[in-house]
Amino acid sequence: MYNYPPKVSEKNIWKTLLKLNSDPIAIISQNFRELGNTYTLNSFLVNKRFVFSRDPELFDYVMRKNQKNYEKSAIQTHVLGKYLGKGLLTNTGKNWLKQRRLVQPNFSTKNIELLHQTMVDEIKATIEDQIKNETIDLYKMTNSLTFNIIAKTLFGNSIDYDQILRISGSITEIQKMFIKEVRKPFLMSWYKVSGQLKKHLQLSDEMRVVFREIILKRQSETGDFNDILQNLLQSRYEDSGEPMAMEQLIDEIIILFVAGHETSANTLAFTLFLIENNESEKQLLVKEINDLGGDFLSLKTLFGNSKTMTIIKEALRLYPPAWIIDRVALEDDSFKDFSWEKGTIVEFLLYDMHRNPVDWEQPKSFLPERFEEEDIKSKPYFPFGNGARYCIGEHFAFMEMILFLRLFYKKHQLEIETKEMKTIALITLRPVELRGKIVLNNFEN
Ligand code: HEM
């Protein structure tokens, strides 16, 4: 009936299923090498068929050309959605489209650029705070930095650091629970009877209370507020002219926190590691910052194909935080010689697409200059996704990351202690650790 791509053999299914928990990228990649760019895994554990792929053409077909036939899997819409609500990342169908049309304009280049000063202030404060004359956890630093940036660009001074800490604590706990549910779904009854599920749903409720208070207070105030909340409150649906309902607004805010901090934090940590291990690139970066003089933070120098930009793009190629993207087929479908039944889950491994030697020369090397080549647009490079659900925060992310690197290398140096980059692929791909000491330059740049 259906012509599924080559299957993981009976013999290798157990090995694959076990390793999907402990080291998913290694086993998924190994299967590509053995079975080709697209293969099938029948998982008896969850009674579902998975098609894994690193074929850019199939990715384009599913994400763009035939995207109407594909939806996000229940892992995001239900498992994560029950804690985080139905914001853009966890929403589907008509409701998603309606929300996307309302929320996306708030992330236009023009609107994001208005947040420049807020980002600069947060970055300066974080770096100052971390100069301690001792080794610190740099990944923790990039995490709290990007969390504070999203909090302050969303709420301005309407949120205080105590509230930020509480929300960040709740989101971290919820993410841990989510990972447990995804990795060990067969323990679901235990999560229920042991009270873990309830405890995490309560955390979610508590978080919503904080957001509701902030929003209600804002609605009672008058004045000029330069933040995303103000824009979201002023946004109107095209058809009805109505604003967003309170609970939907809270859903969107929670998603912005979740989608908008860890991805950038991971990228910054990977980028720092790569810069510190590539002396010539570091020199070029510092030279660029110095050559820009007083313009090193100005909007007109931020978004061109600068050294700072190509370094980040290359870090995102080697270590895409969204290392895997999934979709479920709503109806039976076929692509080239293959066909599959509705309900099949298609998993795209961006990590492997970005490192496939067929497309990339020296795929494992850190070579930012490849992003200056003419043919770069034809390469399979999708750190921010593809098609209708493309990341709305790309411009925001580049702005905060470029500002951070420029401010950091303008006046500081890093004595990095982590010698080898070990990664862990959970919801996002992140470093296991990154430790080092920040020191002030003893010369003024
Ligand atoms: C380096 C940083 C980032 C990376 C690598 C990244 C990556 C991605 C990817 C791959 C998707 C698509 C997922 C899919 O199709 O299944 C996505 C969606 C999304 N991202 Fe980002 N992201 C980053 C930063 C941000 C930031 C800073 C924000 C917000 C401030 C944000 C908000 C979102 C939202 C709301 C969605 C869902 C869009 C939708 O489904 O309509 N992201 N991101």
Side-chain angles (χ1 to χ4, degrees), residues 136-163:
I136 58 161
D137 181 341
L138 293 162
Y139 180 49
K140 200 166 160 197
M141 173 187 82
T142 60
N143 252 294
S144 66
L145 170 70
T146 56
F147 204 90
N148 289 346
I149 289 181
I150 194 81
K152 289 289 175 182
T153 51
L154 258 165
F155 296 126
N157 289 329
S158 305
I159 189 161
D160 59 43
Y161 282 98
D162 187 47
Q163 286 168 315

Side-chain angles (χ1 to χ4, degrees), residues 63 72 76 88-91 96 100 103 107 150 228 252 255-256 259-261 263-265 267 316 320-322 324-327 350 382-386 388-394 396-397 400-401:
M63 302 290 288
K72 288 199 160 185
Q76 286 190 53
L88 282 185
L89 199 71
T90 46
N91 210 340
W96 164 78
R100 174 93 189 192
V103 176
F107 285 81
I150 194 81
I228 302 171
E252 297 301 349
I255 286 303
L256 290 175
H261 91 277
T263 42
S264 306
T267 308
L316 282 163
I324 194 163
I325 289 188
D326 74 8
R327 292 294 186 268
L350 296 190
F382 304 103
F384 294 95
N386 189 14
R389 303 200 69 144
Y390 193 85
C391 175
I392 62 165
E394 179 183 11
F396 184 109
E400 64 181 336
M401 295 191 293

Side-chain angles (χ1 to χ4, degrees), residues 235-276:
S235 301
R236 296 289 179 269
Y237 294 109
E238 251 170 36
D239 51 354
S240 65
E242 292 290 316
M244 240 187 288
M246 173 65 99
E247 294 311 308
Q248 184 67 49
L249 176 57
I250 296 176
D251 284 357
E252 297 301 349
I253 284 170
I254 293 178
I255 286 303
L256 290 175
F257 268 100
V258 172
H261 91 277
E262 196 174 306
T263 42
S264 306
N266 299 4
T267 308
L268 276 181
F270 289 131
T271 307
L272 286 175
F273 177 84
L274 290 164
I275 293 173
E276 290 302 321

